[in-house]
Amino acid sequence: QMAINAEKFEREGIEAKYDALRNQVNPHFLFNSLNALTNLVYEDQGKAVTFIKQLSDVYRYVLDTREKEIVPLEEEIKFLKSYLFLQQIRFGDSLRIDMTLNNAAGMVAPLSLQMLVENCIKHNVVSKDDPLHIGIFRDGNFLVVENVINKKISDLETSSGLGLDNIRNRYKFLSDTAIQVIEAEGKFIVRLPILKANEGTDH
């Protein structure tokens, strides 16, 4: 019983940190999105309408998955595409995404792929002179998010790693397979286990 209680308290602590992280990130994301939208309204009204629709889809997904431990990968991919549309409007050719996720079978922790992509953008230079390349693909029973490392100056000395630690801890409860974090050959790679429908309740 003590072990069960300890796990319950640890899970609640991780969920609280996850909520705090999500609440912290959302205002910054919304602020940046509204800035991008302001410019877009004057430049291309048709694209501005699409931008608003995608922004709405992003926040609807965040609200719809608040109480869920896992979601179908297909839903997470659809959400990620909306999120990436907004980011590519903001960064243009400075952000280059190569996403190959044709097989959408399986489950995933909600917002985990988005958080990994957000980490790439947050910690690396994204500019015309130094575009950020992010690859997203499936490798067997893993989802892989990788980027060429080009850290911002502010990140060279310290980085909280809060988002990555949060995902790692959430997956401890969701799967017997841990996430893999690899830094090699100038790339930062995160391999996320693809979950089964019955996971998320047995751990």
Side-chain angles (χ1 to χ4, degrees), residues 36 86 153-155:
L86 301 177
I153 294 175
S154 59
D155 255 41

Side-chain angles (χ1 to χ4, degrees), residues 1-196:
Q1 186 63 43
M2 287 178 65
I4 292 172
N5 288 339
E7 180 171 315
K8 178 175 180 288
F9 288 136
E10 187 176 354
R11 179 190 290 268
E12 288 174 350
I14 289 170
E15 288 175 350
K17 289 178 182 177
Y18 173 46
D19 286 339
L21 179 67
R22 181 166 51 190
N23 292 334
Q24 179 185 3
V25 170
N26 283 344
H28 293 290
F29 171 64
L30 181 59
F31 177 78
N32 290 329
S33 296
L34 291 177
N35 275 343
L37 178 60
T38 300
N39 296 327
L40 205 57
V41 166
Y42 292 104
E43 295 170 4
D44 188 333
Q45 292 186 3
K47 191 174 285 187
V49 171
T50 304
F51 188 96
I52 293 169
K53 172 67 168 59
Q54 299 286 357
L55 184 61
S56 173
D57 288 346
V58 163
Y59 274 91
R60 183 181 298 111
Y61 183 82
V62 172
L63 291 173
D64 288 347
T65 59
R66 285 184 73 90
E67 306 299 326
K68 295 179 180 179
E69 287 188 326
I70 59 174
V71 294
L73 176 56
E74 185 177 8
E75 292 181 12
E76 179 81 0
I77 292 172
K78 184 179 178 183
F79 158 70
L80 184 62
K81 286 179 178 178
S82 294
Y83 173 79
L84 289 173
F85 175 87
L86 301 177
Q87 295 291 29
Q88 291 193 292
I89 289 293
R90 178 184 170 199
F91 290 107
D93 291 337
S94 300
L95 179 62
R96 300 179 184 179
I97 306 292
D98 181 13
M99 184 162 72
T100 310
L101 287 172
N102 298 324
N103 182 356
M107 310 291 284
V108 66
L111 277 66
S112 53
L113 282 178
Q114 178 266 337
M115 279 182 150
L116 292 178
V117 171
E118 188 170 54
N119 268 359
C120 297
I121 296 171
K122 180 180 178 182
H123 297 301
N124 291 278
V125 174
V126 188
S127 69
K128 287 184 178 180
D129 292 335
D130 288 302
L132 176 61
H133 295 261
I134 301 176
I136 307 165
F137 57 93
R138 182 170 184 150
D139 181 18
N141 290 322
F142 285 88
L143 297 168
V144 182
V145 178
E146 64 177 26
N147 66 276
V148 176
I149 298 172
N150 187 11
K151 288 187 178 181
K152 295 177 180 176
I153 294 175
S154 59
D155 255 41
L156 290 177
E157 294 182 3
T158 59
S159 174
S160 67
L162 185 61
L164 194 56
D165 283 344
N166 186 281
I167 295 171
R168 184 185 282 113
N169 289 331
R170 285 164 65 199
Y171 267 80
K172 284 181 182 178
F173 286 107
L174 297 175
S175 176
D176 293 325
T177 306
I179 75 168
Q180 301 171 6
V181 180
I182 305 159
E183 191 169 331
E185 298 179 358
K187 288 186 177 182
F188 188 78
I189 304 162
V190 180
R191 293 169 57 85
L192 210 61
I194 296 173
L195 306 171
K196 298 176 183 176

